[in-house]
């Protein structure tokens, strides 16, 4: 059971945590000042260290270099004792397990850091084998340039050993590279405490390198707090080839990253590179739209370009489009990097939480991705025809590519630009004779579409076969046929939040229900991980969850993914919104 480490925030696999020593340490952090090594068992036996709550003690161990045969590792495995102080065990991918420690040191880190696929495999194997609420420590490998990538992969603790070695060799480190002192005409990235280059000694270089590493970690921690580490990494990882390789290798590990990535947050996504298409949030949205969402309108599909302003309906261009459409067509926006966004979901994270670089030129990667999403969308949803009111820059290419692959006719209405009088007139004429759908139909379809997206295919009909809506989008209130409020739309994220009555309705329905089972107590404010007895694997951070126990029933928002709730001994599992004492 972990006693001295707790995770407070998550940004993908990166975590903001607390190592609860006598003087608490916020992680990710440089560990040199508070780590004590109990020594290697290779040469001789060692007494168990006395330990202290002021430090993290690495228990006596046998470290294995990269490439050591697994049978050798098994033969010389160490049984770590149960101690009453903060402790760390030394492991590899083959020996990683729950040894009862608060942290784990990856013994072969120097042999795997620098190799994209090897680093990916080793890191994921260890992180998946040790408890979620334990710290992962990589020694002898961190620099200002690579530490953001290490943390994004799931590392919590590093040391400054390599930074010091580089400094003694006269290698000057910054977040974007390294330089030999004798090749510099000035000091890039110098701190105010650094002496001028003419007086800059190797000891000064050591001090600078350590300070640069600590400075980079402050940036990383700030980025995690704001949910913006990925944006930073997309640029920072370009400074070294292996970092780019590692970055892309981890992007290929969707399962590892997806379960650790929140389903909602207020942080904006910066879509500034082709790698943004591989982000979990982007792939998850596209998957849910094409596998869960179902169109409930009988009108033609109207494809529109996205707008810089979010949600799209608040933009001037979309106001013009909507006047021309006049509720006679079902509006879906096309955009890179999101894919396709039905109007009912334009407030749902991340559809109103991204900012893309607009040049007018689409890369082949963007074109292929959006085309694939649109094709999957049209294969799932039936429309009598498609009115493509899109400009020629990329959008029309996508539509023409898809039109050749699906069995639904496309009609193009833009002349020169989508907002010209002629184009808008063409759009209006294309929908001539179509019946307008009502405000009631639009609001009801929006509620059901959000439910499908949020809870699973068919959830909208299972949850709300008979509903009423009050208030206005994006703050709709959802009521049943008798007027009892079941849920409300959360405008910041575009999802539904249940009332207590709604949670009971959800739990009794056929819609997929994400449940957290707790011990015999009534939670107030939050449910801590030790109180959880079971949780669905499908739960992700930010998910709406039903909380049930012998004495309580409630609803709240998950602060951990389901497997983490089951295995953690510290930390907030669920932030409760409503709870009822069943006693």
């Amino acid at each position: 059971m972990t006693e001295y480490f707790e995770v407070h925030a998550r940004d993908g696999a990166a975590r903001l945590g607390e190592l609860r020593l006598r003087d608490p340490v916020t992680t990710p952090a440089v560990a040199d000042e508070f780590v004590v090594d109990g020594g290697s068992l290779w040469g001789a036996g060692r007494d168990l260290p006395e330990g202290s709550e002021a430090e993290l003690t690495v228990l006596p161990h046998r470290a294995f270099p990269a490439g050591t045969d697994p049978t050798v590792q098994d033969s010389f495995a160490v049984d770590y004792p149960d101690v009453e102080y903060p402790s760390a065990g030394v492991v590899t991918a083959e020996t990683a397990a729950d040894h009862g420690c608060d942290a784990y040191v990856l013994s072969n880190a120097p042999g795997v850091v620098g190799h994209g696929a090897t680093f990916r495999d080793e890191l994921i194997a260890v992180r998946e084998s040790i408890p979620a609420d334990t710290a992962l420590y990589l020694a002898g490998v961190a620099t200002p340039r690579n530490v953001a990538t290490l943390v994004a992969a799931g590392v919590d603790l590093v040391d400054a050993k390599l930074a010091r070695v580089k400094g003694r060799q006269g290698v000057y480190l910054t977040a974007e590279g390294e330089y030999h002192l004798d090749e510099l005409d000035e000091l890039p990235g110098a701190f105010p405490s650094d002496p001028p280059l003419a007086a800059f000694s190797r000891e000064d270089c050591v001090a600078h390198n350590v300070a640069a590493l600590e400075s980079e970690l402050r940036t990383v921690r700030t980025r995690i707090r704001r949910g913006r580490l990925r944006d930073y990494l997309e640029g920072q990882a370009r400074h070294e080839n292996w970092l780019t390789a590692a970055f892309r290798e981890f992007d290929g590990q969707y399962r590892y990253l997806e379960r650790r990535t929140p389903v909602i947050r207020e942080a904006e996504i910066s879509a500034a590179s082709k790698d943004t298409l591989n982000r979990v949030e982007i792939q998850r949205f596209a998957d849910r739209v094409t596998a869960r969402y179902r169109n409930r309108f009988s009108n033609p599909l109207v494809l529109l370009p996205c707008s810089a302003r979010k949600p799209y309906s608040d933009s001037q261009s979309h106001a013009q489009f909507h006047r021309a459409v006049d509720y006679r067509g079902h509006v879906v926006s096309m955009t890179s990097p999101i894919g396709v966004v039905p109007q009912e979901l334009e407030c749902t994270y991340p559809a109103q939480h991204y900012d893309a670089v607009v040049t007018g030129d689409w890369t082949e990667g963007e074109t292929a991705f959006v085309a694939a999403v649109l094709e999957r969308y049209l294969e799932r949803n039936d429309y009598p025809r498609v009115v493509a009111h899109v400009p020629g820059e990329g959008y029309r290419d996508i539509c023409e590519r898809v039109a050749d692959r699906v069995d639904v006719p496309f009609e193009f209405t833009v002349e020169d630009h989508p907002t010209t009088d002629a184009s808008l007139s063409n759009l209006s004429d294309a929908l001539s004779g179509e019946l307008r759908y009502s405000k009631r139909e639009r609001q009801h379809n929006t509620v059901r579409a959000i439910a499908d997206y949020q809870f699973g295919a068919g959830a909208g009909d299972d949850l709300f076969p008979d509903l009423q809506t009050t208030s206005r989008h994006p703050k709709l209130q959802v009521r049943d046929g008798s007027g009892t409020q079941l849920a409300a739309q959360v405008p910041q994220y575009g999802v539904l939040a249940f009332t207590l009555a709604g949670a009971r309705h959800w739990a009794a329905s056929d819609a997929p229900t994400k449940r957290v089972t707790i011990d015999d107590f009534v939670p107030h404010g939050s449910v801590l991980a030790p109180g959880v007895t079971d949780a669905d694997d499908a739960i992700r951070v930010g998910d709406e969850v039903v909380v049930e126990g012998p004495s309580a029933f409630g609803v709240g928002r998950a602060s951990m993914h389901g497997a983490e709730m089951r295995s953690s001994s510290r930390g907030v599992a669920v932030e409760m919104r409503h709870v009822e004492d069943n006693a």
Side-chain angles (χ1 to χ4, degrees):
M1 175 179 289
T2 305
E3 297 184 26
Y4 295 96
F5 183 71
E6 180 176 336
V7 179
H8 292 310
R10 298 156 182 82
D11 187 3
R15 297 106 60 83
L16 196 70
E18 181 183 8
L19 188 59
R20 293 188 166 178
L21 306 180
R22 187 172 299 156
D23 294 321
V25 176
T26 299
T27 63
V30 175
D32 302 63
E33 293 185 1
F34 54 82
V35 169
V36 175
D37 189 354
S40 172
L41 293 170
W42 283 117
R46 292 182 179 271
D47 293 333
L48 187 65
E50 292 185 5
S52 165
E53 292 195 356
E55 57 200 21
L56 179 67
T57 301
V58 180
L59 299 173
H61 54 273
R62 292 189 181 94
F64 300 101
T68 301
D69 191 288
T71 59
V72 174
Q73 297 189 44
D74 185 60
S75 299
F76 291 95
V78 173
D79 292 324
Y80 289 108
D82 186 17
V83 296
E84 300 298 322
Y85 50 78
S87 66
V90 177
V91 298
T92 64
E94 285 75 19
T95 62
D98 183 359
H99 297 297
C101 301
D102 303 285
Y104 292 88
V105 185
L106 183 60
S107 71
N108 55 350
V112 299
V113 170
H115 307 277
T118 305
F119 172 67
R120 173 205 65 199
D121 293 343
E122 193 79 8
L123 202 293
I124 291 177
V126 172
R127 188 74 270 178
E128 296 274 56
S129 299
I130 62 178
D133 58 342
T134 56
L136 180 57
Y137 178 16
L138 266 60
V141 296
T143 67
R145 180 162 57 174
N146 71 18
V147 74
T149 297
L150 301 183
V151 171
V155 175
D156 304 288
L157 296 170
V158 297
D159 60 28
K161 291 177 183 176
L162 183 57
R164 290 192 175 94
V165 169
K166 294 277 190 179
R168 295 187 187 103
Q169 294 171 342
V171 178
Y172 179 93
L173 303 180
T174 72
E176 53 81 28
E178 60 179 50
Y179 307 88
H180 288 275
L181 287 175
D182 57 8
E183 297 174 348
L184 290 174
D185 297 314
E186 58 183 329
L187 295 172
F191 297 103
S193 58
D194 289 342
L197 179 58
F200 200 80
S201 68
R202 294 202 172 190
E203 285 307 308
D204 293 326
C205 194
V206 169
H208 166 86
N209 289 352
V210 174
L213 178 59
E214 292 174 338
S215 175
E216 183 69 0
L217 277 170
R218 287 193 292 273
T219 297
V220 169
R221 289 194 295 268
T222 299
R223 286 277 177 167
I224 295 173
R225 288 187 186 98
R226 297 183 177 183
R228 299 294 299 270
L229 181 59
R230 169 65 186 231
D231 298 343
Y232 180 70
L233 202 63
E234 285 193 17
Q236 204 272 348
R238 296 297 189 276
H239 297 308
E240 188 171 345
N241 288 345
W242 96 262
L243 295 178
T244 302
F247 173 84
R248 291 176 177 169
E249 292 288 353
F250 273 89
D251 268 356
Q253 300 300 306
Y254 182 79
R255 177 184 173 276
Y256 176 74
L257 294 178
E258 190 277 330
R259 74 191 310 199
R260 292 166 169 81
T261 302
V263 295
I264 55 173
R265 50 184 166 186
E266 294 185 34
E268 184 179 83
I269 293 173
S270 177
S273 78
K274 65 179 182 180
D275 290 304
T276 303
L277 294 173
N278 298 320
R279 288 185 66 140
V280 166
E281 299 95 322
I282 302 302
Q283 293 293 326
R284 180 193 280 148
F285 186 88
D287 288 345
R288 290 190 178 190
V289 166
T290 55
R292 295 184 177 187
Y293 171 86
R294 180 173 66 82
N295 169 47
R296 292 174 169 85
F297 296 96
S298 59
N299 305 68
L301 170 62
V302 177
L303 289 176
L304 298 177
C306 66
S307 65
R309 185 164 182 169
K310 316 294 187 305
Y312 308 131
S313 292
D314 288 350
S315 68
Q316 291 184 358
S317 60
H318 276 245
Q320 293 176 286
F321 301 151
H322 288 310
R323 284 194 292 271
V325 173
D326 194 26
Y327 305 114
R328 295 173 296 165
H330 177 224
V331 169
V332 172
S333 298
M334 298 168 57
T335 178
S336 176
I338 303 293
V340 299
V341 183
Q343 187 175 4
E344 306 98 294
L345 300 179
E346 68 175 18
C347 289
T348 303
Y349 182 85
Q352 68 163 334
H353 302 80
Y354 75 97
D355 187 20
V357 175
V358 179
T359 64
D361 295 322
W362 289 61
T363 66
E364 174 54 30
E366 289 175 306
T367 298
F369 174 73
V370 178
V373 174
L374 178 59
E375 182 177 358
R376 285 156 52 197
Y377 178 87
L378 288 171
E379 287 172 348
R380 176 173 172 79
N381 293 285
D382 293 326
Y383 290 97
R385 57 195 175 101
V386 177
V387 178
H389 191 75
V390 295
E393 303 88 358
Y395 291 99
R396 181 156 182 150
D397 296 337
I398 292 168
C399 290
E400 290 176 343
R401 185 179 300 191
V402 173
D404 292 336
R405 302 174 184 169
V406 296
D407 188 24
V408 56
F410 274 65
E411 178 180 353
F412 295 92
T413 54
V414 170
E415 295 182 22
D416 187 35
H417 191 273
T419 58
T420 63
D421 290 343
S423 295
L424 293 171
S425 178
N426 290 343
L427 175 59
S428 180
D429 291 345
L431 298 170
S432 177
E434 297 289 344
L435 297 178
R436 299 173 77 248
Y437 52 81
S438 67
K439 177 180 178 181
R440 177 182 179 276
E441 183 180 2
R442 183 172 74 254
Q443 291 185 339
H444 287 198
N445 286 354
T446 295
V447 169
R448 292 186 175 114
I450 293 172
D452 288 345
Y453 176 89
Q454 189 174 353
F455 305 116
D461 294 330
D462 291 336
L463 281 168
F464 309 117
D466 180 23
L467 76 130
Q468 303 175 34
T469 54
T470 55
S471 192
R472 299 176 61 186
H473 179 75
K475 299 180 181 181
L476 291 171
Q477 295 179 354
V478 186
R479 302 178 185 275
D480 63 15
S482 64
T484 301
Q485 185 173 343
L486 302 178
Q489 187 181 7
V490 182
Q492 297 97 311
Y493 314 114
V495 295
L496 299 176
F498 285 110
T499 63
L500 197 59
R504 289 197 178 280
H505 174 75
W506 181 25
S509 75
D510 292 331
T513 307
K514 296 182 178 180
R515 301 174 189 268
V516 177
T517 307
I518 61 174
D519 275 327
D520 191 3
F521 67 96
V522 179
H524 298 285
S526 61
V527 172
L528 301 181
V532 174
T533 60
D534 198 11
D536 290 346
D537 276 333
I539 293 172
R540 300 291 180 261
V541 175
D543 266 334
E544 195 81 354
V545 294
V546 165
V547 178
E548 298 175 292
S551 298
F553 178 89
V555 64
R557 183 174 292 167
S559 296
M560 297 177 175
H561 63 74
E564 188 175 9
M565 289 184 191
R566 294 195 304 270
S567 65
S568 295
S569 55
R570 301 194 72 89
V572 175
V574 182
E575 291 286 357
M576 299 299 296
R577 183 183 314 111
H578 304 292
V579 65
E580 184 174 71
D581 189 339
N582 289 339

